[in-house]
Amino acid sequence: MTQQRIPHQRDVVDRRALADEIAGHVARDGAKARPAIVAALKAALEGGRAELDRRLEDKPSAGHEITGGHSFLIDQIVRTIYDHVVADVYPAINRSTAERLTLIAVGGYGRAEMAPHSDVDIAFIHPTRNAPWCEQVIEAMLYYLWDLGLKVGHSSRSVDDTIRMAKSDLTIRTALLEGRYVWGDQSLYDEVIRRFADEVVKGTEKQFVADKLEERNARHKRMGDSRYVVEPNVKDGKGGLRDLQTLYWIGKYIHKVRVAAELVDVGLFTPEEYRSFRRAEGFMLAVRCHLHTITGRAEDRLTFDLQRAVAARMNFADRPGKSAVERFMQFYFLQAKRVGALTGVFLAHIDEQFAKSRARKGLLASFTPRARELKGYRVYGGRIAAPGDDWFRADPMRLVEVFHLAEAHGLEIHPETMRQASRDSGLIRREVRDDPRANALFVELLAGRNDPETVLRWMNEAGVFGRFVPDFGRVNAQMQFDMYHHYTVDEHTIRAIGLLSRIEKGELTADHPRSSRLIHEVASRRVAYVAALLHDIAKGRGGDHSVLGGDVAEELGPRFGLDEGETALVAWLVRQHLLMSRTAFKRDLTDPKTIEDFIAEVQGLERLRHLMILTAIDIRAVGPGTWNSWKGQLLGELYDAAEERLRLGHMSHGRKERVAAKKDAVRAKLGDKAGLLKLYADRFDDSYWIAEPEDIIALNLMHYGLSHEEKDNLSVHCEVYPSRGATLVTVIAADHPGLFYRIAGGIHLAGGNIIDARIHTTRSGWAVDNFLVQDPHGRPFGEDAQIRRLEVSIADALANRSALVPQLARRPLPHSRARAFDVRPVVSFDNQASGRFTVIEVNARDRAALLNRLARALFENSLVVHSAHITNYGERAADTFYVTDLTGGKVTGATRLKAIEAALLEAASDERQAELESA
């Protein structure tokens, strides 16, 4: 956008020396000189790139200098090729006026912002359509460029065609807008630029802005629609380079600026904002250059595996509580946030300029709408504005008040007022933070009835949020270096608050029926909102963020105006905000001890209601797809069981009554097939009737009866189970050792992920095993071919028709980027979590067939698996097994536990995976 002066240009490429070398080859070899010429050009290109790579290593943040250097290098190569072709390949002694050609750099090349492997985009413009000499020259140049291995994007058009197509094609119009003269006929270039301004740009400014913003919005949607996604696209992502370029295009189209610095002269940026613009642009250009250099290709996505490498190249170092890669990504997101703030101010100014220039006609020609006053602010056109430049300086508490009023009255904040708030945010000091008025306004905003999410995001982008709540400022742009979290901590928190607001309005009742009811039953709604704000407030401090966050809550609660009981409840919620999800997803909810342990921590209905709400919004705010019906079902079951226990003081029914009630419910489900209950009910022990829901029991009895009628030793039945968002796979077979791990292997080979498993043996020695299975995208297997593949794969695994171990090892990791993370397997044993079983939890790197491998290790250690519960957190898997020894007792011996731990650690290790892959 601003032509960069390249220091020591001839160290990059010496065009004069290169031209002399080519002339020597032509003089010596004539028409046969082409291979030598290509070799000379290639040596110059590679030498220039090597020099620029060295400069990038020496100055790892010099984005403008390096991208300008690559553009300069290509300029000199292109000019040298043009001169050679025109002089030696297709010389024309007396060229006609039609035999003229100008070379215009467009795209990143035109802006002089080329990363090492960027495309070379060139527009070849000639006076008329029928220009044989021009086409010959263009063709010869392109062959040279292709021989150099360059990826060339080119167009060849007459002047008239260029102008005509620019009128109808936004891409061509944008390319010409940032077109830069490279070589050839200068007067022809001048003619194109003059006609473009007169015939294309004039009168179409407003439409161009609308088209560019529509294009930008579509791009953001493709890229995740947030500037805080943890694997951002540096070029096309929200808050990335393309957003900065869009501002320049719009400013250039409307105000005819030649370089980005002139955006200050036309009033679209202040000098400080322009400096921010340049800093953000320079940093992101540098990051993009490092990505290209590391990968050796045009790579613009900052994936987890590349983030560490770029952080190291840019000299970021570890600090207590925060790794180098986390510090690098936090700086990246701060730049993206700044781009967002600049974009908002810039576009609002453009909109205002259009509004002022809009001609008024008829009776309203002299009418000017009057602003109304709201607590000293001016309100007009749906915007709230500060009445003067020193408004916030006079009373810094107003920096909170303006956002409170915007939320309460459904107003946007005027761009000039946002600019002032950003500038004056440093005025928020201890006296403002301790001001009861300011805190009352903030909590009212936080728990606003209109749209607190959007206004809090504005407050964050202005820098006011982090100044008023410094603990929140510490997690501003704080990334979480894992594959589970999709957003930075501040963005995740603001989204959680927005989800809570939507739940309270009844907009998410279908997905969150309990939370939508409970938010209206809690004694204090502001407790829910403050807990949402603070649940992750202590991330990145080096300790347990839940415990540290509880301490923060105890400090901030009184400041926010919460009473002693509210503060204690918020602190408990922050400390225990993971309790409900851990219990629901990692424990057997049919085991009475699970519920007893859970309510021992919760202790009261008000805590339970708030914890249910906080758990739901926390999971859903992690990112798209993290909330599903299966998680909702598990959390709902846990809530209902705990609520009944807390409300009644005891379980409403004993074991005998619960089994009888379950049988009655199953009888009703079976209808005219209720006779199956009489035939087979006594073959299943009480634990089966308590563990399984009635709809699954009804299905099991039908399949059990069918397999016995047909005297089939193996019955595999699959059907979609909509309420759980998964496919129910039921396997009925003669029980034998190792059955579980073989079934798991067969499911994995068919491409299935097991999310839950319950293993039962009837009194007559038959296994009835139920698995809930999803595809790699977290959806049920629903198509006939998929279900058939599952059934065949399980049957083959049980009949030993396929070699499970090598086949499973060769299956690709579900997340190929998971190798970027250091995930050490950990095994824990808990003999207190269940009255009957030893609970074993294994945390390890997620990979294909991990469950099969762990189950086999348990089998080889003479353990019986009664249920398995599988949870994934991005690159990590947490698999929980309820087991007994062969006599049905718990596993307690220290030596025995040590041997089991060693076997599970080996089964889950990267070393074992590598061995199996190479076998």
Side-chain angles (χ1 to χ4, degrees), residues 129 159-169 195 200:
R129 281 188 183 181
V159 176
D160 287 341
D161 284 347
T162 300
I163 300 303
R164 177 178 55 79
M165 294 177 75
K167 290 177 181 178
S168 59
D169 190 310
R195 287 188 60 185
V200 179

Side-chain angles (χ1 to χ4, degrees), residues 36 157 162 239 275-276 302 366 579 632 693:
R157 300 187 183 100
T162 300
R275 285 192 289 273
S276 290
L302 199 48
S366 61
L579 171 65

Side-chain angles (χ1 to χ4, degrees), residues 55 62 86 137 201 204 290 298 326 448 467 517 599 689 777 893 919:
R55 293 186 185 189
V86 169
V137 170
V201 174
T204 63
H290 287 294
E326 287 173 331
R467 291 280 186 175
R517 170 174 53 83
I599 62 171
W689 292 97
H777 304 289

Side-chain angles (χ1 to χ4, degrees), residues 537-646:
I537 200 77
K539 281 200 167 177
R541 299 193 184 190
D544 184 330
H545 78 281
S546 300
V547 175
L548 296 173
D551 297 340
V552 173
E554 288 177 345
E555 291 177 12
L556 286 178
R559 198 197 108 181
F560 286 162
L562 273 59
D563 63 32
E564 189 176 337
E566 288 175 317
T567 299
L569 178 52
V570 170
W572 182 87
L573 286 167
V574 173
R575 290 191 178 104
Q576 300 293 345
H577 73 274
L578 299 174
L579 171 65
M580 195 167 194
S581 59
R582 284 173 175 165
T583 304
F585 305 155
K586 295 184 179 182
R587 292 293 179 262
D588 189 340
L589 300 182
T590 64
D591 189 326
K593 188 68 162 57
T594 298
I595 309 303
E596 291 298 324
D597 289 348
F598 178 68
I599 62 171
E601 289 285 353
V602 176
Q603 297 182 356
L605 284 169
E606 185 71 3
R607 281 184 173 184
L608 179 63
R609 294 184 189 110
H610 276 290
L611 187 58
M612 177 70 197
I613 296 165
L614 181 58
T615 302
I617 62 172
D618 186 21
I619 294 171
R620 187 162 183 150
V622 163
T626 52
W627 178 267
N628 55 39
S629 57
W630 169 237
K631 290 178 180 176
Q633 181 82 14
L634 290 176
L635 289 169
E637 288 177 8
L638 176 57
Y639 176 85
D640 291 345
E643 193 265 349
E644 178 187 65
R645 176 70 173 79
L646 288 166

Side-chain angles (χ1 to χ4, degrees), residues 130-145:
N130 190 13
W133 178 84
C134 294
E135 296 301 334
Q136 288 175 321
V137 170
I138 293 168
E139 184 180 30
M141 288 190 67
L142 288 174
Y143 275 116
Y144 271 116
L145 293 170

Side-chain angles (χ1 to χ4, degrees), residues 229-244:
V229 290
V230 291
E231 289 187 297
N233 187 301
V234 180
K235 178 183 174 185
D236 290 325
K238 195 170 186 177
L241 285 166
R242 190 67 85 204
D243 280 2
L244 289 170

Side-chain angles (χ1 to χ4, degrees), residues 386-396 398-399 420 423-424 427:
D389 191 59
D390 62 348
W391 180 252
F392 298 124
R393 293 194 195 104
D395 184 0
R398 291 168 175 163
L399 286 161
Q420 290 170 16
R423 180 197 67 196
D424 295 337
L427 298 173

